[in-house]
């Protein structure tokens, strides 16, 4: 995905930059409509979904945070998890493991997301991990990720990570700049965050990554440079970098509206920051794993997200968790009482799911390839012989420096990475219209 250098002042190919893979996947929503009875469907998942080469993951949602970040509107609650939350998740694991389709699979990745999963007590986290291992089969090299925040990196939790084999960390740092941290509502100073990250690496964990937010209100280029310098000094495995998305209804949006802090930088500023991040880390041997992720080669392969784009299973557990089993997607209620009722119901499972078909899988997989920076025409399967329309579209994007085409397919340029979600969405829209998998 290494593109050639481009001008720091490009002409914009789109009026709005899409900043999330959810934007890229929006055209797929039209393909998920048929409701199915969850339990009946789970019992009759076709054999084609059971093949060993189809990998599986587990996602555990812990929608609780100690404090609300000012930019956040994610699905979470500002409170500690209820004292029985781990028991509800364990009950779900036990219920699912009584179904042969779930029990007989091998799981290659586990991802604790949120919210902040480390708001769970250390002992409760341990019980969930032990229940997963005793009820389901994890592959020997399974990637076990936990999202956490620096203030939760306590001795007792680190002991659980070690004992239970957590081997990938996504730490929500966002910035080391004290002014930025206060503005974004992050706990502790930048120095404290850096020390905590360093201490996690000192424990011997190799795959420690973090989130970086750029283009927050009033951010200067010097402030970003300092973030990059600190990240480099820590020798992290990789990081996700997100341009701040200002969402209505968030405290930050209100602060800007009331004139209590400066607005976000414009698109040109966002592009300059993006280029600074890429320049800094590509020159230090990092590579672009996907649109918003830079990694040190061999240190982070992010299997969990790969499995999702491969259309593997995601056994989703916890309030508000969304997942997929075989040919069915589903979502648990976010409301804790509704989730508790579901877990305690006669089946202990959701009432209904939504059927997905080959057409969804095919286009979702293509979106994943683009998000990871490269599409080969052979990825289009039988459509590759009939892909003139898509090739012409790729040539059009190449002419404005978003793609580099070659006889086998195309790669995103750096400018293409910046606009990657827009590009993936355009391809998805074309494919939905072509009714790709008839
Ligand atoms: S820690 Fe994450 S989920 Fe929680 S409020 Fe902050 S950004 Fe949102």
């Amino acid at each position: 995905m290494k593109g050639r250098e481009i001008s720091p002042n490009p002409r914009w190919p789109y009026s709005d930059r899409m900043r999330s893979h959810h934007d890229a996947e929006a055209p797929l929503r039209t393909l998920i409509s048929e409701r199915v009875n969850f339990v009946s469907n789970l019992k009759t998942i076709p054999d084609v979904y059971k093949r060993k080469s189809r990998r599986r993951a587990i996602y555990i949602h812990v929608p609780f945070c100690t404090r609300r970040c000012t930019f956040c509107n994610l699905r979470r609650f500002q409170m500690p998890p209820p004292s029985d939350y781990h028991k509800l998740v364990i009950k779900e694991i036990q219920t699912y493991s009584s179904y042969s389709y779930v029990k007989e699979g091998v799981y290659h990745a586990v991802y604790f997301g949120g919210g902040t999963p480390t708001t769970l007590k250390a002992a409760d986290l341990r019980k969930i991990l032990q229940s997963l291992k005793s009820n389901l089969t994890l592959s020997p090299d399974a990637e076990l990720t936990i999202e956490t925040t620096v203030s939760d990196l306590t001795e007792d939790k680190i002991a659980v990570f070690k004992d239970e084999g957590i081997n990938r960390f996504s730490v929500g740092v966002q910035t080391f700049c004290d002014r930025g941290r206060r503005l974004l509502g992050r706990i502790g100073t930048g120095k404290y965050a850096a020390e905590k990250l360093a201490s996690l690496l000192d424990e011997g964990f190799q795959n420690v990554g973090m989130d970086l937010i750029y283009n927050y209100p009033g951010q200067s280029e010097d402030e970003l440079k300092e973030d990059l310098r600190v990240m480099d000094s820590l020798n992290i495995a990789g990081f996700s970098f997100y341009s701040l998305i200002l969402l209505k209804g968030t405290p930050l949006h209100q602060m800007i509206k009331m004139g209590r802090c400066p607005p976000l930088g414009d698109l040109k500023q966002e592009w300059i920051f993006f280029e600074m991040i890429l320049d800094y880390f590509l020159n230090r041997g990092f590579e672009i794993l996907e649109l918003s992720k830079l990694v040190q080669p061999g240190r982070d392969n992010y299997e969990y997200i790969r499995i999702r784009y491969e259309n593997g299973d995601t056994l989703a557990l916890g309030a508000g968790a969304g997942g997929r089993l075989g040919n069915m997607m589903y979502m648990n209620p976010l409301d804790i009482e509704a989730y508790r009722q579901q877990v305690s119901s006669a089946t202990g499972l959701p009432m209904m799911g939504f059927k997905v078909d080959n057409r969804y899988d095919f286009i979702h997989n293509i979106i994943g390839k683009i998000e990871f920076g490269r599409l080969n025409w052979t990825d289009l399967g039988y459509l590759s012989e009939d892909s003139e329309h898509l090739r012409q579209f790729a040539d059009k994007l190449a002419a404005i420096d978003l793609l580099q085409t070659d006889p086998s397919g195309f790669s995103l340029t750096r400018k293409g990475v910046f606009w990657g979600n827009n590009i993936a969405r355009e391809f998805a829209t074309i494919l939905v219209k072509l009714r790709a998998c008839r």
Side-chain angles (χ1 to χ4, degrees):
M1 205 201 282
K2 282 180 191 159
R4 58 201 154 85
E5 292 288 332
I6 58 171
S7 154
N9 191 16
R11 291 221 308 270
W12 307 133
Y14 303 97
S15 54
D16 280 323
R17 182 185 178 215
M18 293 178 180
R19 296 175 179 85
S20 158
H21 65 95
H22 295 297
D23 296 321
E25 291 172 18
L28 292 176
R29 285 187 207 131
T30 59
L31 303 180
I32 312 171
S33 53
E34 190 191 340
R35 289 172 178 223
V36 289
N37 178 293
F38 186 91
V39 173
S40 311
N41 203 73
L42 182 57
K43 287 179 180 165
T44 55
I45 288 177
D47 285 346
V48 66
Y49 292 98
K50 297 175 188 163
R51 62 189 191 280
K52 286 205 167 59
S53 59
R54 188 169 169 271
R55 299 197 295 165
R56 301 189 187 198
I58 298 167
Y59 176 77
I60 299 162
H61 196 55
V62 185
F64 308 96
C65 292
T66 312
R67 181 156 137 183
R68 182 179 182 185
C69 299
T70 57
F71 57 89
C72 181
N73 81 338
L74 295 177
R75 294 156 60 82
R76 50 97 194 90
F77 304 99
Q78 189 185 344
M79 60 186 234
S83 57
D84 64 342
Y85 193 75
H86 67 291
K87 291 185 186 156
L88 297 172
V89 172
I90 290 169
K91 178 102 190 307
E92 267 192 295
I93 295 168
Q94 291 165 343
T95 303
Y96 274 113
S97 66
S98 66
Y99 289 84
S100 64
Y101 177 81
V102 177
K103 179 81 178 169
E104 286 163 15
V106 176
Y107 296 83
H108 297 84
V110 177
Y111 194 102
F112 284 83
T116 311
T118 45
T119 50
L120 283 166
K121 291 184 181 142
D124 297 346
L125 261 175
R126 189 188 294 277
K127 285 178 193 156
I128 292 175
L129 280 155
Q130 290 182 341
S131 171
L132 281 176
K133 291 176 199 166
S134 58
N135 287 287
L136 300 168
T137 307
L138 305 188
S139 69
D141 58 349
E143 177 190 270
L144 270 57
T145 304
I146 193 155
E147 288 181 355
T148 183
T149 185
V150 287
S151 52
D152 284 343
L153 294 174
T154 52
E155 253 177 51
D156 56 346
K157 282 176 190 159
I158 287 175
V160 172
F161 302 154
K162 275 190 178 169
D163 296 348
E164 302 303 331
I166 296 286
N167 53 21
R168 185 172 182 275
F169 296 84
S170 172
V171 187
V173 175
Q174 318 307 352
T175 176
F176 295 100
C177 166
D178 290 343
R179 186 190 72 80
R181 291 183 69 79
R182 280 193 299 276
L183 193 64
L184 300 177
R186 303 300 298 175
I187 296 172
T189 62
K191 186 166 175 286
Y192 167 79
E195 283 168 1
K196 288 296 229 176
L197 260 185
S199 69
L200 189 59
L201 282 149
D202 285 347
E203 295 287 343
F205 296 111
Q206 284 300 303
N207 196 349
V208 175
M210 58 168 270
D211 286 350
L212 173 77
I213 281 188
Y214 64 98
N215 200 31
Y216 57 76
Q219 187 180 29
S220 68
E221 291 177 24
D222 281 345
E223 284 172 335
L224 178 61
K225 271 186 209 155
E226 181 59 10
D227 274 346
L228 304 183
R229 190 196 64 73
V230 176
M231 287 160 70
D232 186 33
S233 72
L234 289 167
N235 190 24
I236 51 176
F239 63 97
S240 300
F241 56 113
Y242 305 103
S243 166
L244 190 115
I245 303 175
L246 187 62
L247 296 159
K248 280 191 184 154
T250 57
L252 191 63
H253 183 265
Q254 193 63 14
M255 284 157 70
I256 293 175
K257 212 168 123 193
M258 307 286 285
R260 286 173 34 218
C261 73
L264 306 193
D266 61 13
L267 198 53
K268 183 177 169 198
Q269 185 62 60
E270 190 176 333
W271 165 255
I272 290 169
F273 285 148
F274 174 86
E275 280 280 71
M276 283 172 63
I277 296 166
L278 257 57
D279 277 345
Y280 192 96
F281 280 101
L282 294 181
N283 285 334
R284 282 162 176 77
F286 279 59
E287 59 187 30
I288 302 172
L289 187 73
E290 49 109 21
L291 297 183
S292 56
K293 192 145 196 62
L294 281 158
V295 295
Q296 295 208 48
R299 291 268 303 269
D300 183 15
N301 208 32
Y302 204 178
E303 296 299 342
Y304 171 73
I305 202 72
R306 288 181 190 274
I307 292 170
R308 291 204 76 143
Y309 279 125
E310 285 168 13
N311 299 309
D313 274 355
T314 308
L315 174 64
L317 309 164
R324 169 187 183 147
L325 292 171
N327 56 352
M328 172 175 65
M329 293 199 165
Y330 68 99
M331 173 136 313
N332 284 342
L334 177 63
D335 177 81
I336 301 302
E337 199 39 51
Y339 169 63
R340 196 177 271 123
Q341 278 175 18
Q342 176 179 293
V343 173
S344 326
S345 67
T347 65
L349 295 171
M351 300 268 285
M352 67 180 62
F354 295 88
K355 212 148 185 185
V356 285
D357 60 16
N358 291 344
R359 199 153 56 110
Y360 176 96
D361 283 350
F362 175 81
I363 300 171
H364 186 240
N365 184 258
I366 297 295
I367 292 173
K369 304 266 182 202
I370 297 173
E371 299 261 329
F372 274 79
R374 168 95 199 159
L375 182 77
N376 289 316
W377 297 125
T378 49
D379 295 328
L380 293 168
Y382 75 89
L383 266 186
S384 60
E385 290 168 15
D386 183 29
S387 60
E388 206 38 48
H389 189 53
L390 292 164
R391 287 173 194 247
Q392 282 171 10
F393 183 62
D395 287 341
K396 204 178 107 192
L397 297 185
I400 53 172
D401 202 18
L402 293 176
L403 306 181
Q404 271 183 322
T405 53
D406 56 58
S408 315
F410 64 78
S411 302
L412 300 183
T413 62
R414 280 169 67 154
K415 189 172 158 189
V417 174
F418 186 72
W419 294 102
N421 286 305
N422 297 67
I423 294 169
R425 182 173 171 138
E426 287 215 80
F427 273 95
T429 303
I430 293 171
L431 288 165
V432 167
K433 281 189 188 148
L434 283 176
R435 299 179 63 81
C437 282
R438 293 171 285 254

